[in-house]
């Protein structure tokens, strides 16, 4: 079994979560990405969010939300993605950068539009009343 190690940013405002859609993709993903060799969770989070959204995550504000695993969307059966999630404040203005084509604030009703691991995260956030 293959596992993809990713770190994601949980940014919720007014009961909606920030999500991204990459060029050529048909589903939405939480912002973040794959860890590079030797990177800590926060190093990965800061690098990926700066690359994708043009803002700086404030590491002192980071709080671990949870770690979730599911079949990786668009990969062969048996390929799991393990997503370590952090909520954190940021500085700057959110804008799509790099491979990100658009940003959206999604609610729980949009659960069907996101990847399988993100669906688990949506369920968790709904259970804590963070996501409407």
């Amino acid at each position: 079994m293959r596992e993809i190690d990713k770190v994601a940013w949980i940014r919720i405002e007014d009961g909606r979560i920030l999500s991204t859609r990459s060029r050529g993709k048909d589903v939405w993903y939480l912002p973040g990405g794959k860890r590079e060799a030797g990177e800590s969770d926060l190093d990965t989070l800061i690098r990926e969010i700066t690359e994708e959204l043009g803002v700086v995550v404030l590491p002192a504000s980071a709080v671990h939300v949870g770690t979730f695993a599911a079949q990786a969307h668009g990969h062969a059966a048996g390929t799991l993605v393990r997503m370590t999630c952090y909520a954190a404040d940021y500085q700057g203005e959110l804008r799509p950068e790099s491979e990100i084509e658009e940003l959206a604030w999604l609610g729980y009703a949009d659960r069907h539009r996101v990847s399988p691991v993100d669906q688990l995260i949506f369920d968790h956030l709904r259970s804590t009343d963070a996501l409407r």
Side-chain angles (χ1 to χ4, degrees), residues 2-58:
R2 182 169 173 251
E3 186 176 279
I4 301 169
D5 179 23
K6 296 180 91 175
V7 178
W9 186 33
I10 305 292
R11 183 66 192 180
I12 297 174
E13 294 183 11
D14 299 321
R16 296 174 122 14
I17 190 166
L18 179 64
S19 295
T20 60
R21 191 180 59 75
S22 298
R23 283 182 190 80
K25 300 291 184 178
D26 60 350
V27 296
W28 292 82
Y29 299 91
L30 295 178
K34 295 177 189 167
R35 181 189 319 270
E36 292 182 356
E39 278 187 327
S40 69
D41 287 356
L42 289 181
D43 290 340
T44 304
L45 184 69
I46 292 165
R47 177 182 53 76
E48 284 288 342
I49 300 309
T50 299
E51 288 174 4
E52 292 183 354
L53 302 175
V55 298
V56 177
V57 168
L58 303 176

Side-chain angles (χ1 to χ4, degrees), residues 6 26-30 68-75 79-83 110-124:
K6 296 180 91 175
D26 60 350
V27 296
W28 292 82
Y29 299 91
L30 295 178
F68 306 86
Q71 169 65 40
H73 180 262
H75 290 265
T79 302
L80 294 182
V81 61
R82 181 173 52 88
M83 189 89 74
D110 299 301
R111 182 183 181 276
H112 67 283
R113 300 171 63 194
V114 303
S115 72
V117 72
D118 287 9
Q119 289 179 5
L120 295 177
I121 297 164
F122 272 46
D123 292 344
H124 170 75

